[in-house]
Amino acid sequence: MDPLFVPGVPGAPELLVLLVLFVIYLAIPILVIVALFYFLDGKRGYEERIARLERRVEKLEDER
């Protein structure tokens, strides 16, 4: 009997297939969702920054 072989436990090829499936079905969609979130959040950040700057300009113009 081979000491590294345990019946019912997946071997290296099976574990490699499971890892590939994990990457395809879970990791890639999660990365796409995170990328979209940061892309859309970045746009909102610019809009907020522009609004803040416009309020500051109005405030400075009122002080004149």
Side-chain angles (χ1 to χ4, degrees):
M1 182 170 167
D2 190 5
L4 297 178
F5 177 71
V6 179
V9 177
E14 291 87 2
L15 292 175
L16 185 62
V17 168
L18 289 174
L19 179 66
V20 168
L21 289 175
F22 171 77
V23 168
I24 290 172
Y25 287 119
L26 291 176
I28 292 175
I30 289 173
L31 288 175
V32 168
I33 290 169
V34 168
L36 283 174
F37 174 77
Y38 279 118
F39 175 73
L40 294 175
D41 189 47
K43 281 188 171 181
R44 284 191 297 263
Y46 285 126
E47 291 172 3
E48 180 182 326
R49 183 175 179 208
I50 290 171
R52 235 183 338 201
L53 288 171
E54 287 174 348
R55 285 192 303 267
R56 186 171 178 203
V57 167
E58 288 175 8
K59 183 180 173 185
L60 290 172
E61 286 177 348
D62 289 342
E63 288 178 0
R64 281 181 143 180

PDB file of all heavy atoms in Angstrom, residues 4-28:
ATOM      1  N   LEU A   4       1.125   7.503   0.786  1.00  0.00           N
ATOM      2  CA  LEU A   4       0.571   8.809   0.458  1.00  0.00           C
ATOM      3  C   LEU A   4      -0.835   8.711  -0.108  1.00  0.00           C
ATOM      4  O   LEU A   4      -1.500   9.721  -0.279  1.00  0.00           O
ATOM      5  CB  LEU A   4       1.474   9.528  -0.548  1.00  0.00           C
ATOM      6  CG  LEU A   4       2.884   9.839  -0.059  1.00  0.00           C
ATOM      7  CD1 LEU A   4       3.690  10.512  -1.166  1.00  0.00           C
ATOM      8  CD2 LEU A   4       2.839  10.742   1.162  1.00  0.00           C
ATOM      9  N   PHE A   5      -1.272   7.488  -0.415  1.00  0.00           N
ATOM     10  CA  PHE A   5      -2.613   7.305  -0.988  1.00  0.00           C
ATOM     11  C   PHE A   5      -3.609   7.003   0.120  1.00  0.00           C
ATOM     12  O   PHE A   5      -3.469   6.045   0.863  1.00  0.00           O
ATOM     13  CB  PHE A   5      -2.592   6.171  -2.004  1.00  0.00           C
ATOM     14  CG  PHE A   5      -3.949   5.871  -2.580  1.00  0.00           C
ATOM     15  CD1 PHE A   5      -4.533   6.759  -3.462  1.00  0.00           C
ATOM     16  CD2 PHE A   5      -4.632   4.732  -2.213  1.00  0.00           C
ATOM     17  CE1 PHE A   5      -5.784   6.496  -3.982  1.00  0.00           C
ATOM     18  CE2 PHE A   5      -5.880   4.465  -2.729  1.00  0.00           C
ATOM     19  CZ  PHE A   5      -6.462   5.349  -3.616  1.00  0.00           C
ATOM     20  N   VAL A   6      -4.616   7.857   0.225  1.00  0.00           N
ATOM     21  CA  VAL A   6      -5.685   7.634   1.181  1.00  0.00           C
ATOM     22  C   VAL A   6      -6.977   7.533   0.372  1.00  0.00           C
ATOM     23  O   VAL A   6      -7.330   8.469  -0.352  1.00  0.00           O
ATOM     24  CB  VAL A   6      -5.780   8.784   2.212  1.00  0.00           C
ATOM     25  CG1 VAL A   6      -6.913   8.554   3.185  1.00  0.00           C
ATOM     26  CG2 VAL A   6      -4.452   8.967   2.920  1.00  0.00           C
ATOM     27  N   PRO A   7      -7.674   6.412   0.470  1.00  0.00           N
ATOM     28  CA  PRO A   7      -8.899   6.250  -0.332  1.00  0.00           C
ATOM     29  C   PRO A   7      -9.932   7.331   0.002  1.00  0.00           C
ATOM     30  O   PRO A   7     -10.139   7.672   1.163  1.00  0.00           O
ATOM     31  CB  PRO A   7      -9.412   4.866   0.063  1.00  0.00           C
ATOM     32  CG  PRO A   7      -8.252   4.173   0.673  1.00  0.00           C
ATOM     33  CD  PRO A   7      -7.365   5.234   1.248  1.00  0.00           C
ATOM     34  N   GLY A   8     -10.558   7.887  -1.037  1.00  0.00           N
ATOM     35  CA  GLY A   8     -11.603   8.887  -0.846  1.00  0.00           C
ATOM     36  C   GLY A   8     -11.103  10.322  -0.788  1.00  0.00           C
ATOM     37  O   GLY A   8     -11.890  11.257  -0.817  1.00  0.00           O
ATOM     38  N   VAL A   9      -9.813  10.531  -0.685  1.00  0.00           N
ATOM     39  CA  VAL A   9      -9.249  11.877  -0.634  1.00  0.00           C
ATOM     40  C   VAL A   9      -8.731  12.220  -2.030  1.00  0.00           C
ATOM     41  O   VAL A   9      -8.003  11.435  -2.637  1.00  0.00           O
ATOM     42  CB  VAL A   9      -8.111  11.965   0.400  1.00  0.00           C
ATOM     43  CG1 VAL A   9      -7.479  13.338   0.392  1.00  0.00           C
ATOM     44  CG2 VAL A   9      -8.628  11.621   1.781  1.00  0.00           C
ATOM     45  N   PRO A  10      -9.107  13.396  -2.569  1.00  0.00           N
ATOM     46  CA  PRO A  10      -8.658  13.737  -3.922  1.00  0.00           C
ATOM     47  C   PRO A  10      -7.151  13.915  -3.998  1.00  0.00           C
ATOM     48  O   PRO A  10      -6.510  14.391  -3.065  1.00  0.00           O
ATOM     49  CB  PRO A  10      -9.371  15.054  -4.220  1.00  0.00           C
ATOM     50  CG  PRO A  10      -9.988  15.511  -2.961  1.00  0.00           C
ATOM     51  CD  PRO A  10      -9.949  14.407  -1.976  1.00  0.00           C
ATOM     52  N   GLY A  11      -6.615  13.521  -5.136  1.00  0.00           N
ATOM     53  CA  GLY A  11      -5.184  13.670  -5.366  1.00  0.00           C
ATOM     54  C   GLY A  11      -4.867  14.999  -6.007  1.00  0.00           C
ATOM     55  O   GLY A  11      -5.711  15.905  -6.105  1.00  0.00           O
ATOM     56  N   ALA A  12      -3.642  15.142  -6.482  1.00  0.00           N
ATOM     57  CA  ALA A  12      -3.176  16.404  -7.043  1.00  0.00           C
ATOM     58  C   ALA A  12      -3.967  16.835  -8.276  1.00  0.00           C
ATOM     59  O   ALA A  12      -4.356  18.008  -8.372  1.00  0.00           O
ATOM     60  CB  ALA A  12      -1.695  16.313  -7.345  1.00  0.00           C
ATOM     61  N   PRO A  13      -4.244  15.956  -9.243  1.00  0.00           N
ATOM     62  CA  PRO A  13      -4.994  16.415 -10.423  1.00  0.00           C
ATOM     63  C   PRO A  13      -6.400  16.905 -10.065  1.00  0.00           C
ATOM     64  O   PRO A  13      -6.868  17.905 -10.601  1.00  0.00           O
ATOM     65  CB  PRO A  13      -5.063  15.179 -11.324  1.00  0.00           C
ATOM     66  CG  PRO A  13      -3.941  14.322 -10.895  1.00  0.00           C
ATOM     67  CD  PRO A  13      -3.767  14.579  -9.434  1.00  0.00           C
ATOM     68  N   GLU A  14      -7.054  16.199  -9.154  1.00  0.00           N
ATOM     69  CA  GLU A  14      -8.399  16.614  -8.748  1.00  0.00           C
ATOM     70  C   GLU A  14      -8.370  17.954  -8.019  1.00  0.00           C
ATOM     71  O   GLU A  14      -9.232  18.813  -8.221  1.00  0.00           O
ATOM     72  CB  GLU A  14      -9.045  15.550  -7.867  1.00  0.00           C
ATOM     73  CG  GLU A  14      -9.396  14.279  -8.598  1.00  0.00           C
ATOM     74  CD  GLU A  14      -8.238  13.292  -8.637  1.00  0.00           C
ATOM     75  OE1 GLU A  14      -7.172  13.589  -8.049  1.00  0.00           O
ATOM     76  OE2 GLU A  14      -8.383  12.235  -9.275  1.00  0.00           O
ATOM     77  N   LEU A  15      -7.379  18.143  -7.171  1.00  0.00           N
ATOM     78  CA  LEU A  15      -7.256  19.409  -6.454  1.00  0.00           C
ATOM     79  C   LEU A  15      -6.952  20.552  -7.411  1.00  0.00           C
ATOM     80  O   LEU A  15      -7.438  21.670  -7.237  1.00  0.00           O
ATOM     81  CB  LEU A  15      -6.184  19.318  -5.371  1.00  0.00           C
ATOM     82  CG  LEU A  15      -6.519  18.405  -4.196  1.00  0.00           C
ATOM     83  CD1 LEU A  15      -5.331  18.308  -3.249  1.00  0.00           C
ATOM     84  CD2 LEU A  15      -7.747  18.884  -3.465  1.00  0.00           C
ATOM     85  N   LEU A  16      -6.170  20.278  -8.445  1.00  0.00           N
ATOM     86  CA  LEU A  16      -5.872  21.297  -9.450  1.00  0.00           C
ATOM     87  C   LEU A  16      -7.140  21.691 -10.214  1.00  0.00           C
ATOM     88  O   LEU A  16      -7.381  22.877 -10.457  1.00  0.00           O
ATOM     89  CB  LEU A  16      -4.805  20.782 -10.421  1.00  0.00           C
ATOM     90  CG  LEU A  16      -4.313  21.775 -11.455  1.00  0.00           C
ATOM     91  CD1 LEU A  16      -3.640  22.959 -10.774  1.00  0.00           C
ATOM     92  CD2 LEU A  16      -3.350  21.111 -12.411  1.00  0.00           C
ATOM     93  N   VAL A  17      -7.959  20.710 -10.555  1.00  0.00           N
ATOM     94  CA  VAL A  17      -9.223  20.997 -11.239  1.00  0.00           C
ATOM     95  C   VAL A  17     -10.128  21.830 -10.329  1.00  0.00           C
ATOM     96  O   VAL A  17     -10.762  22.797 -10.772  1.00  0.00           O
ATOM     97  CB  VAL A  17      -9.919  19.689 -11.665  1.00  0.00           C
ATOM     98  CG1 VAL A  17     -11.352  19.948 -12.108  1.00  0.00           C
ATOM     99  CG2 VAL A  17      -9.126  19.006 -12.766  1.00  0.00           C
ATOM    100  N   LEU A  18     -10.204  21.475  -9.058  1.00  0.00           N
ATOM    101  CA  LEU A  18     -11.013  22.253  -8.112  1.00  0.00           C
ATOM    102  C   LEU A  18     -10.510  23.687  -7.992  1.00  0.00           C
ATOM    103  O   LEU A  18     -11.304  24.633  -7.925  1.00  0.00           O
ATOM    104  CB  LEU A  18     -11.020  21.581  -6.737  1.00  0.00           C
ATOM    105  CG  LEU A  18     -11.814  20.289  -6.633  1.00  0.00           C
ATOM    106  CD1 LEU A  18     -11.626  19.662  -5.262  1.00  0.00           C
ATOM    107  CD2 LEU A  18     -13.275  20.541  -6.904  1.00  0.00           C
ATOM    108  N   LEU A  19      -9.203  23.876  -7.984  1.00  0.00           N
ATOM    109  CA  LEU A  19      -8.628  25.217  -7.900  1.00  0.00           C
ATOM    110  C   LEU A  19      -8.973  26.032  -9.146  1.00  0.00           C
ATOM    111  O   LEU A  19      -9.350  27.205  -9.049  1.00  0.00           O
ATOM    112  CB  LEU A  19      -7.115  25.131  -7.721  1.00  0.00           C
ATOM    113  CG  LEU A  19      -6.368  26.456  -7.649  1.00  0.00           C
ATOM    114  CD1 LEU A  19      -6.766  27.212  -6.382  1.00  0.00           C
ATOM    115  CD2 LEU A  19      -4.878  26.230  -7.677  1.00  0.00           C
ATOM    116  N   VAL A  20      -8.869  25.423 -10.308  1.00  0.00           N
ATOM    117  CA  VAL A  20      -9.204  26.117 -11.559  1.00  0.00           C
ATOM    118  C   VAL A  20     -10.677  26.501 -11.568  1.00  0.00           C
ATOM    119  O   VAL A  20     -11.042  27.623 -11.944  1.00  0.00           O
ATOM    120  CB  VAL A  20      -8.835  25.249 -12.781  1.00  0.00           C
ATOM    121  CG1 VAL A  20      -9.434  25.825 -14.058  1.00  0.00           C
ATOM    122  CG2 VAL A  20      -7.334  25.112 -12.898  1.00  0.00           C
ATOM    123  N   LEU A  21     -11.545  25.600 -11.149  1.00  0.00           N
ATOM    124  CA  LEU A  21     -12.972  25.901 -11.097  1.00  0.00           C
ATOM    125  C   LEU A  21     -13.262  27.018 -10.101  1.00  0.00           C
ATOM    126  O   LEU A  21     -14.106  27.878 -10.349  1.00  0.00           O
ATOM    127  CB  LEU A  21     -13.772  24.646 -10.737  1.00  0.00           C
ATOM    128  CG  LEU A  21     -13.837  23.579 -11.824  1.00  0.00           C
ATOM    129  CD1 LEU A  21     -14.553  22.339 -11.316  1.00  0.00           C
ATOM    130  CD2 LEU A  21     -14.507  24.115 -13.060  1.00  0.00           C
ATOM    131  N   PHE A  22     -12.555  27.011  -8.975  1.00  0.00           N
ATOM    132  CA  PHE A  22     -12.719  28.081  -7.990  1.00  0.00           C
ATOM    133  C   PHE A  22     -12.365  29.427  -8.608  1.00  0.00           C
ATOM    134  O   PHE A  22     -13.103  30.405  -8.451  1.00  0.00           O
ATOM    135  CB  PHE A  22     -11.839  27.809  -6.770  1.00  0.00           C
ATOM    136  CG  PHE A  22     -11.776  28.959  -5.815  1.00  0.00           C
ATOM    137  CD1 PHE A  22     -12.828  29.218  -4.955  1.00  0.00           C
ATOM    138  CD2 PHE A  22     -10.680  29.807  -5.793  1.00  0.00           C
ATOM    139  CE1 PHE A  22     -12.782  30.283  -4.077  1.00  0.00           C
ATOM    140  CE2 PHE A  22     -10.632  30.872  -4.929  1.00  0.00           C
ATOM    141  CZ  PHE A  22     -11.684  31.114  -4.063  1.00  0.00           C
ATOM    142  N   VAL A  23     -11.265  29.477  -9.328  1.00  0.00           N
ATOM    143  CA  VAL A  23     -10.835  30.733  -9.941  1.00  0.00           C
ATOM    144  C   VAL A  23     -11.846  31.198 -10.983  1.00  0.00           C
ATOM    145  O   VAL A  23     -12.221  32.371 -11.031  1.00  0.00           O
ATOM    146  CB  VAL A  23      -9.428  30.576 -10.569  1.00  0.00           C
ATOM    147  CG1 VAL A  23      -9.092  31.752 -11.460  1.00  0.00           C
ATOM    148  CG2 VAL A  23      -8.392  30.413  -9.477  1.00  0.00           C
ATOM    149  N   ILE A  24     -12.330  30.267 -11.791  1.00  0.00           N
ATOM    150  CA  ILE A  24     -13.263  30.642 -12.862  1.00  0.00           C
ATOM    151  C   ILE A  24     -14.608  31.083 -12.304  1.00  0.00           C
ATOM    152  O   ILE A  24     -15.161  32.102 -12.715  1.00  0.00           O
ATOM    153  CB  ILE A  24     -13.441  29.473 -13.852  1.00  0.00           C
ATOM    154  CG1 ILE A  24     -12.156  29.269 -14.642  1.00  0.00           C
ATOM    155  CG2 ILE A  24     -14.609  29.729 -14.794  1.00  0.00           C
ATOM    156  CD1 ILE A  24     -12.149  28.032 -15.514  1.00  0.00           C
ATOM    157  N   TYR A  25     -15.147  30.317 -11.360  1.00  0.00           N
ATOM    158  CA  TYR A  25     -16.514  30.567 -10.906  1.00  0.00           C
ATOM    159  C   TYR A  25     -16.625  31.561  -9.763  1.00  0.00           C
ATOM    160  O   TYR A  25     -17.682  32.147  -9.562  1.00  0.00           O
ATOM    161  CB  TYR A  25     -17.184  29.262 -10.489  1.00  0.00           C
ATOM    162  CG  TYR A  25     -17.551  28.401 -11.668  1.00  0.00           C
ATOM    163  CD1 TYR A  25     -17.009  27.135 -11.809  1.00  0.00           C
ATOM    164  CD2 TYR A  25     -18.424  28.856 -12.638  1.00  0.00           C
ATOM    165  CE1 TYR A  25     -17.341  26.345 -12.894  1.00  0.00           C
ATOM    166  CE2 TYR A  25     -18.754  28.080 -13.724  1.00  0.00           C
ATOM    167  CZ  TYR A  25     -18.213  26.826 -13.843  1.00  0.00           C
ATOM    168  OH  TYR A  25     -18.536  26.055 -14.920  1.00  0.00           O
ATOM    169  N   LEU A  26     -15.571  31.784  -8.994  1.00  0.00           N
ATOM    170  CA  LEU A  26     -15.674  32.684  -7.851  1.00  0.00           C
ATOM    171  C   LEU A  26     -14.749  33.894  -7.932  1.00  0.00           C
ATOM    172  O   LEU A  26     -15.194  35.027  -7.787  1.00  0.00           O
ATOM    173  CB  LEU A  26     -15.394  31.918  -6.553  1.00  0.00           C
ATOM    174  CG  LEU A  26     -16.454  30.903  -6.144  1.00  0.00           C
ATOM    175  CD1 LEU A  26     -16.003  30.154  -4.910  1.00  0.00           C
ATOM    176  CD2 LEU A  26     -17.780  31.574  -5.899  1.00  0.00           C
ATOM    177  N   ALA A  27     -13.481  33.669  -8.151  1.00  0.00           N
ATOM    178  CA  ALA A  27     -12.506  34.758  -8.072  1.00  0.00           C
ATOM    179  C   ALA A  27     -12.700  35.782  -9.188  1.00  0.00           C
ATOM    180  O   ALA A  27     -12.668  36.990  -8.927  1.00  0.00           O
ATOM    181  CB  ALA A  27     -11.094  34.197  -8.095  1.00  0.00           C
ATOM    182  N   ILE A  28     -12.903  35.343 -10.407  1.00  0.00           N
ATOM    183  CA  ILE A  28     -13.039  36.282 -11.526  1.00  0.00           C
ATOM    184  C   ILE A  28     -14.289  37.154 -11.372  1.00  0.00           C
ATOM    185  O   ILE A  28     -14.197  38.379 -11.496  1.00  0.00           O
ATOM    186  CB  ILE A  28     -12.996  35.547 -12.872  1.00  0.00           C
ATOM    187  CG1 ILE A  28     -11.591  34.988 -13.108  1.00  0.00           C
ATOM    188  CG2 ILE A  28     -13.404  36.463 -14.016  1.00  0.00           C
ATOM    189  CD1 ILE A  28     -11.444  34.129 -14.348  1.00  0.00           C
TER     190      ILE A  28
END
